[in-house]
Amino acid sequence: MVFNFTAFTYIVALIGDAFLIFFAIFHVIAFDELKTDYKNPIDQCNSLNPLVLPEYLLHVFLNLLFLVCGEWFSLCINIPLIAYHVWRYKNRPVMSGPGLYDPTTVLKTDTLSRNMREGWIKLAVYLISFFYYIYGMVYSLIST
């Protein structure tokens, strides 16, 4: 059994994807707290906005590793979410700092439901990716 770059990529992807799952769960919980009026929108946006860029950069980094090692299917299942992240950040509200969530508009019903749906979809993609990465890691270790 040989430890190759593909196996290393999948191990790094598993660890990174665990962090992405944490970010998605935090996202869902934060918007559920806003929906049920447990937290102030300004405080919630101040805690969510610093996590946006690290999540996006980690996701792009993991997929750059897949690109380098030639794992095309792993890359292809993540490209739609990367494209959505780029589009979403490009079309974000005008704010003074980095982030996506503006406290003045985050409580609107359509914005709140869109953000909740976005969080659940990202969580589903990250979970599917996590289990696929386990399979890919085991396969790459066995096949060498």
Side-chain angles (χ1 to χ4, degrees), residues 2-125:
V2 178
F3 187 76
N4 56 14
F5 184 67
T6 304
F8 172 75
T9 299
Y10 277 112
I11 291 170
V12 170
L14 279 171
I15 295 168
D17 204 44
F19 283 104
L20 292 174
I21 289 170
F22 167 75
F23 287 144
I25 290 172
F26 186 74
H27 186 269
V28 169
I29 291 171
F31 282 104
D32 186 54
E33 286 177 346
L34 279 175
K35 189 176 181 181
T36 55
D37 291 332
Y38 285 137
K39 202 151 187 195
N40 183 359
I42 295 172
D43 295 335
Q44 200 68 292
C45 290
N46 287 338
S47 66
L48 281 173
N49 280 332
L51 298 177
V52 171
L53 284 179
E55 175 189 356
Y56 290 2
L57 292 175
L58 178 61
H59 193 219
V60 167
F61 171 72
L62 295 177
N63 287 288
L64 284 176
L65 283 177
F66 288 132
L67 180 68
V68 169
C69 74
E71 289 297 314
W72 305 115
F73 187 73
S74 299
L75 183 65
C76 287
I77 62 174
N78 284 295
I79 284 179
L81 188 56
I82 291 173
Y84 176 74
H85 285 161
V86 169
W87 175 83
R88 175 95 159 121
Y89 201 77
K90 215 172 133 181
N91 296 322
R92 69 189 178 114
V94 176
M95 297 185 327
S96 60
L100 293 175
Y101 308 108
D102 183 22
T104 58
T105 61
V106 77
L107 282 178
K108 290 191 324 190
T109 307
D110 60 332
T111 306
L112 194 58
S113 65
R114 185 190 73 209
N115 288 333
M116 281 291 286
R117 188 172 47 248
E118 174 186 325
W120 283 111
I121 291 170
K122 284 171 32 172
L123 181 60
V125 169

